[in-house]
Amino acid sequence: MAVRQSNVNLEAGHSHAHIRQEFGLAFAIATVLHRSYVVVQVAFGIAANSLALVADGAHNLGDVLGLLLAWCASYLSKTQPTARRTYGLGRSSILAALANAILLLIAVGGITWEAIRRFGNPEEVSGKTVIVVAAIGVVINGLTAMLFFSGRKRDLNIKGAFLHMAADAAVSVGVVVAAVLILLTGWHLIDPIASLLINIVIVWGTWALLRDSLAMALDIVPEGVDPVAVREFLANQPGVTAVHDLHIWPLSTTETALSVHLIKPDAGTDDQMLLCISEELHHRFGIGHPTIQVERGDSSDPCPQREQHP
């Protein structure tokens, strides 16, 4: 069985480095602003006896932790490969995105429990204080969301940061509306009701992040890659008679890898063909780290992977 292998990393860290440079400052600004605002929210939320404001503060605290995780992961993912870490630490960005989503859902659980308790024991809320503090949150969250807007389609961690900031802005608007209604009606049950509505918004915005990050952690083919189309593309290459042992998986939140065996009876040294295939995989499917093995397909010396992974 004649074999020719090609392992080409077309992305070569370029997109990672660009994202780190472009959004490193955004992470720093967002983290500092939100850390300061969390202190303000919790302090005034307790003083105003507003569960909705404290809930929003807890949510923002989760976002601060999430931002720190994503920020650290963006640097860890640039770690150079070693003899033992052959792909570097790119998958840390996937774990950060997954942890980010889980943190939010844990916060939602705690807030929901307290909101349900308050239905049986409603407490007076200082509406004016809540309005002022929440209005500040609308501005801070809106501005920080815009910092991540342009990168939300390129990196799952950037998407997670954007979703969190955008959800925070919406939540803060909800808190303002709830406080205004409390002032107008004097009905303090609006506060726990608003808290539950906030939780629904959080879960709605977090579910996609949880689903995508969990899929990446399980090495499922990234959502933007069609494995059937990839197989057809490879099978249609000149001289290729069969494709087997095709695997596509995420190396990080921005980089996708592929390994495949191609049956080519007239297999020979053809670096140009392998380079062209790699470039097309990158251009068409966003796969930047392909490993291609070319075999003659001799029946007397078959590839052992052919039967296991057709």
Side-chain angles (χ1 to χ4, degrees), residues 7-8 64 85 99 106 127 139 157 199 214 221-222 234 265 269 279 288 304 308:
N7 192 323
V8 182
V64 170
R85 298 192 299 268
I106 290 174
V139 176
N157 274 309
N199 286 349
L214 184 59
V221 176
L234 294 170
T269 302
E279 288 177 344
Q308 298 176 19

Side-chain angles (χ1 to χ4, degrees), residues 122-209:
E123 301 179 14
E124 187 175 350
V125 176
S126 176
K128 292 181 179 179
T129 301
V130 175
I131 291 172
V132 173
V133 177
I136 295 172
V138 174
V139 176
I140 291 176
N141 292 320
L143 290 176
T144 51
M146 294 308 298
L147 293 175
F148 299 103
F149 181 79
S150 63
R152 71 194 190 285
K153 294 183 178 180
R154 288 180 285 162
D155 187 316
L156 195 61
N157 274 309
I158 303 298
K159 178 182 178 181
F162 170 75
L163 286 174
H164 283 196
M165 301 305 104
D168 283 353
V171 165
S172 295
V173 171
V175 174
V176 171
V177 172
V180 170
L181 291 175
I182 290 173
L183 285 176
L184 293 176
T185 65
W187 192 37
H188 294 288
L189 277 176
I190 291 174
D191 187 60
I193 291 173
S195 301
L196 293 178
L197 292 176
I198 287 170
N199 286 349
I200 293 173
V201 172
I202 296 171
V203 171
W204 181 269
T206 304
W207 186 253
L209 178 64

